[in-house]
Amino acid sequence: MPKTLFEKIWDRHVVKTIEGGPSVLYIDKHFIHEVTSPQAFKGLEKRGLEVFRPKQIVATADHNVPTIDQHLPIKEELSRIQVQALVDNTKKHHIDLYGLGHPYQGIVHVIGPELGVTQPGMTIVCGDSHTSTHGAFATISFGIGTSEVEMVMATQCLLQSKPKLMRINVEGTLNKGVTSKDIILYIIAHISASGATGYFVEYAGSAIRSLSMEGRMTICNMSIEMGARGGMIAPDQTTFDYLEGREFAPEGAEWEKKLTEWKQLHSDEDALFDKEITIAAADIEPMITYGTNPGMGVSVTGRIPAEADPKSLAYMGLQAGAAIKGKKVDYVFIGSCTNSRIEDLRLVASFVKGRKKADNVEVWVVPGSKQVEQQAIKEGIDKVFAEAGFNLRQPGCSACLAMNEDKIPAGKYCISTSNRNFEGRQGPNARTLLASPLTAAVAAITGEVADIREFI
Amino acid sequence: MSKSINKITSTAVPIHLENIDTDQIIPARFLKATSRDGFGDNLFRDWRYNADGTPKKDFILNNPTYSGRILVAGKNFGCGSSREHAAWAIKDAGFDVVVSSFFADIFKNNALNNFLLPVTVSEEFLQQIFAAIEKDPKTNISVDLEAQTITLGGNITSFDINNYKKTCLLNGYDDIDYLLSIRPEIEAFEQKPQTIQ
Ligand code: SF4
């Protein structure tokens, strides 16, 4: 029987299926971070259990870390205690930690692929909804809650019901100035913030295949923003080239063996999906959001829909029917697990080089990992940013969720390359406009929402 | 945390909004705790309180007319971040049931793992609940997990829940107990070479 990519991976990870209930799914890799793990460790200890497979867990500190002076003790007491709890818990349970100060530290969904921990065919979970990012490598990856973190620590398994499957094909060539971020914002705007709830999505089509791994990660990352459990993309030469030689990627004969296996990971021709959508790449323009969920997006040259939710618009201080282009912004945030990889920083730098930021904006660039930061310095990208007046900070989630001190002040507008524009997401009463790194870069230079196509 | 749920009859608190995300339920800056307790105080923090900590009069949780163990909300409830703190906060604030026409997947799992029952009803039934409470805040809603029914006045409708989860909730079992009980099978599975990457 023909199988989808999802089914090929799912089927080989099912330990057993409970009659009339969920399946016991074996988890290959488990990422943990400081915010959603402490209660899981406590739960485990309360039951008198050890971590079952500590070598299959990778830990990092990212959500709640400062992005300046990372070598100093964390000032805020609760944050310091939380980060320290991760240090203590991982030490006690023999789990590898890439914590503050470690050359591999960074946002969990940036470091997994960067280190080659994320590999095709795996099942991967993390107590974080953007775990879907790892699906770019043909994995079944999804976010879980803290009780589930505890389950995986205790048994390396989860109880899961098989989701419905959707395939989204993006066919054709992308327009100038259009990036993978625009593709996913376009998709979400079209199917809505709940349009894929209950589904696991496979992205396919020539436009997807033309993307780099970074670009594919951006797309899979935001699958959750349309309600999907996760997103995935079949592996190809681009995937293999990215992985080869990375720290934890297989080597030698093992690499060859894996490669043969990985090449089987694609949906068979006649495989059935519960739903299938096809989008023409040519229809996609640079996108921006105007509202308070990621589905509220339009082309940068578009107008805010007349029927847009009034409560959202009141929060955003925007008018139905108005153009979004030309809207003044106060902050630009280039970062988060959606767009903080080296390729994103290179793209921004290539546009910004020789230009200066507008006086009315403050620009924060927060690299996704220590390795991204170091690479940026090696390539002189740090200098390009310094000359433009951008503030290059240290790795972490930062203003994506504003858990540390990186908050956008109340009422201010921020163009952000992150993935969520919920009320208060970037700080109480902060107003977020989601966009691609290029659209963020052009806003940094002009101080307003602008169309990158007029500048390149 | 009260384990096991079966029958609940209570008045309800209606939040007539769609797409309520977990950042609203519990904002990130309150996620710094390392225990599961005390999140109820910050449930819907930024809708409930002004920046200076005074309650916002127009928010429903601050209105003494509405109370009860059932929270009713518009579709796509609990979307966004996977933070289980959202379920903890709702439970900690005294709710045992959330009714909506649509729940985000991760939230639903988190709720079930915390003996907070997510009840999915049709959009029509949901609107009937909102209308009934609007008319009379003392309206009682009854939820019967065993029978998988929810009753509003003379109106009764059934809801879905998978059998396994239902058994867990009725008896106060959790998934870890079950998974631990099959650890030998998991270990045997790990020995099958083709299954592990
Ligand atoms: S960068 Fe933002 S979305 Fe990504 S893991 Fe961190 S908080 Fe979550």
Side-chain angles (χ1 to χ4, degrees):
Chain A
M1 212 177 92
K3 279 186 176 183
T4 62
L5 167 60
F6 179 92
E7 287 163 333
K8 287 182 184 177
I9 303 173
W10 174 273
D11 289 352
R12 60 198 267 185
H13 286 86
V14 171
V15 176
K16 66 187 280 187
T17 298
I18 303 172
E19 228 182 282
S23 296
V24 177
L25 190 71
Y26 190 82
I27 304 301
D28 295 318
K29 287 287 172 201
H30 183 194
F31 293 103
I32 61 170
H33 62 83
E34 74 279 23
V35 176
T36 57
S37 67
Q39 293 88 351
F41 280 111
K42 270 195 184 145
L44 210 63
E45 279 161 19
K46 226 167 98 190
R47 292 172 198 260
L49 295 171
E50 301 277 315
V51 172
F52 182 53
R53 294 287 179 252
K55 290 296 151 229
Q56 286 167 247
I57 307 180
V58 174
T60 190
D62 55 1
H63 281 65
N64 193 11
V65 299
T67 56
I68 43 168
D69 294 335
Q70 285 184 344
H71 61 290
L72 297 177
I74 300 176
K75 281 199 211 108
E76 216 253 340
E77 194 192 356
L78 285 177
S79 304
R80 192 172 62 244
I81 292 173
Q82 195 173 56
V83 172
Q84 188 58 40
L86 183 69
V87 174
D88 298 342
N89 284 326
T90 49
K91 191 162 171 210
K92 190 163 162 197
H93 293 278
H94 315 290
I95 293 166
D96 287 335
L97 168 67
Y98 304 132
L100 277 186
H102 194 285
Y104 293 166
Q105 180 264 337
I107 305 173
V108 59
H109 313 309
V110 174
I111 69 166
E114 183 179 78
L115 292 169
V117 173
T118 302
Q119 294 167 19
M122 287 181 166
T123 48
I124 299 178
V125 295
C126 172
D128 187 282
S129 55
H130 293 99
T131 308
S132 59
T133 313
H134 306 264
F137 292 81
T139 62
I140 293 183
S141 298
F142 53 92
I144 55 177
T146 298
S147 296
E148 293 169 311
V149 169
E150 188 180 331
M151 282 171 219
V152 181
M153 283 177 177
T155 65
Q156 208 56 37
C157 286
L158 275 178
L159 286 160
Q160 288 289 308
S161 299
K162 193 172 156 197
K164 289 183 285 181
L165 302 177
M166 185 190 298
R167 180 157 62 188
I168 300 180
N169 306 293
V170 187
E171 299 287 357
T173 313
L174 290 172
N175 292 314
K176 184 178 85 164
V178 174
T179 67
S180 66
K181 180 65 163 285
D182 301 300
I183 301 180
I184 189 66
L185 286 173
Y186 180 91
I187 293 173
I188 304 169
H190 276 72
I191 75 168
S192 95
S194 57
T197 301
Y199 288 91
F200 210 99
V201 177
E202 180 180 343
Y203 302 94
S206 56
I208 301 292
R209 280 197 304 276
S210 75
L211 297 172
S212 65
M213 288 317 294
E214 281 88 347
R216 295 178 191 187
M217 283 188 253
T218 301
I219 298 214
C220 289
N221 174 275
M222 288 192 74
S223 305
I224 182 77
E225 305 311 333
M226 49 188 174
R229 202 77 176 88
M232 66 199 318
I233 295 172
D236 57 14
Q237 199 55 43
T238 308
T239 321
F240 310 141
D241 289 345
Y242 178 98
L243 273 173
E244 194 168 7
R246 294 202 177 249
E247 177 79 31
F248 295 102
E251 291 172 285
E254 184 61 17
W255 170 263
E256 294 304 327
K257 193 176 138 230
K258 287 284 179 194
L259 208 55
T260 316
E261 207 177 287
W262 293 345
K263 287 182 177 162
Q264 312 298 314
L265 293 171
H266 53 80
S267 290
D268 294 331
E269 211 159 297
D270 305 324
L272 284 178
F273 289 83
D274 299 286
K275 193 169 176 180
E276 187 142 13
I277 297 173
T278 299
I279 287 167
D283 291 346
I284 306 174
E285 294 182 81
M287 295 288 292
I288 191 144
T289 65
Y290 56 84
T292 54
N293 75 54
M296 302 173 81
V298 286
S299 143
V300 287
T301 55
R303 289 184 176 276
I304 297 169
E307 67 285 358
D309 173 31
K311 183 177 178 283
S312 281
L313 293 188
Y315 180 87
M316 292 298 292
L318 296 172
Q319 261 75 49
I324 188 100
K325 200 177 143 194
K327 173 77 203 158
K328 286 257 175 287
V329 297
D330 309 291
Y331 285 80
V332 175
F333 173 64
I334 295 165
S336 92
C337 57
T338 317
N339 285 120
S340 66
R341 298 184 176 81
I342 188 66
E343 188 182 279
D344 300 308
L345 268 49
R346 282 185 193 135
L347 189 64
V348 171
S350 69
F351 173 72
V352 162
K353 197 173 166 90
R355 293 179 158 115
K356 284 225 169 338
K357 76 167 185 73
D359 290 338
N360 60 307
V361 289
E362 187 151 337
V363 185
W364 297 340
V365 184
V366 182
S369 71
K370 209 71 199 159
Q371 292 206 72
V372 170
E373 179 196 52
Q374 292 308 310
Q375 185 64 28
I377 293 171
K378 211 167 115 194
E379 296 178 20
I381 289 174
D382 58 330
K383 296 200 184 64
V384 174
F385 290 158
E387 278 158 24
F390 289 16
N391 178 359
L392 178 64
R393 302 172 77 93
Q394 291 173 309
C397 294
S398 180
C400 172
L401 91 165
M403 207 176 154
N404 67 356
E405 51 287 343
D406 303 348
K407 292 180 173 60
I408 306 302
K412 299 290 183 197
Y413 290 91
C414 177
I415 286 215
S416 177
T417 66
S418 57
N419 44 43
R420 286 189 173 137
N421 51 356
F422 298 151
E423 284 185 31
R425 173 78 178 182
Q426 297 196 287
N429 288 307
R431 292 157 161 170
T432 303
L433 308 167
L434 300 175
S436 76
L438 270 182
T439 300
V442 70
I445 303 304
T446 60
E448 58 187 42
V449 177
D451 186 347
I452 183 71
R453 293 169 296 186
E454 294 169 14
F455 295 80
I456 51 174
Chain B
M1 183 173 79
S2 74
K3 282 201 164 190
S4 89
I5 310 184
N6 188 4
K7 291 186 173 65
I8 289 162
T9 295
S10 165
T11 51
V13 180
I15 304 188
H16 206 154
L17 290 173
E18 295 183 351
N19 296 314
I20 295 177
D21 59 77
T22 53
D23 272 81
Q24 306 319 313
I25 299 172
I26 182 95
R29 60 187 192 282
F30 299 109
L31 308 186
K32 296 182 185 185
T34 52
S35 78
R36 286 173 178 247
D37 316 312
F39 288 99
D41 291 344
N42 293 313
L43 175 66
F44 293 114
R45 175 76 199 199
D46 293 336
W47 287 351
R48 201 165 147 200
Y49 298 103
N50 294 304
D52 63 6
T54 54
K56 291 187 181 175
K57 290 213 175 59
D58 56 353
F59 187 60
I60 200 132
L61 285 187
N62 295 326
N63 185 340
T65 315
Y66 300 95
S67 63
R69 292 161 64 199
I70 301 175
L71 185 69
V72 186
K75 79 161 190 241
N76 201 22
F77 185 81
C79 58
S81 155
S82 62
R83 60 189 69 163
E84 193 164 315
H85 312 68
W88 299 338
I90 296 171
K91 187 82 184 175
D92 192 46
F95 296 103
D96 291 313
V97 176
V98 188
V99 181
S100 178
S101 54
F102 208 78
F103 288 96
D105 285 333
I106 305 181
F107 177 82
K108 197 198 270 176
N109 285 343
N110 287 340
L112 288 167
N113 284 330
N114 288 281
F115 299 89
L116 173 67
L117 179 64
V119 174
T120 309
V121 296
S122 68
E123 190 59 39
E124 194 192 343
F125 194 81
L126 184 72
Q127 295 309 327
Q128 285 171 10
I129 298 178
F130 281 131
I133 303 174
E134 211 163 277
K135 220 167 119 203
D136 177 11
K138 293 283 158 274
T139 302
N140 268 313
I141 297 174
S142 297
V143 174
D144 184 333
L145 175 59
E146 177 95 65
Q148 293 180 226
T149 57
I150 172 165
T151 312
L152 172 76
N155 222 336
I156 181 160
T157 185
S158 58
F159 61 88
D160 276 347
I161 181 166
N162 85 43
N163 264 333
Y164 166 81
K165 268 295 164 194
K166 181 171 161 181
T167 312
C168 287
L169 290 181
L170 287 171
N171 298 297
Y173 301 154
D174 63 24
D175 287 357
I176 299 191
D177 297 332
Y178 172 75
L179 289 171
L180 286 171
S181 76
I182 62 157
R183 230 157 71 170
E185 285 176 68
I186 297 171
E187 275 162 329
F189 177 88
E190 284 180 317
Q191 297 312 314
K192 291 195 276 176
Q194 80 282 6
T195 54
I196 296 167
Q197 289 289 331

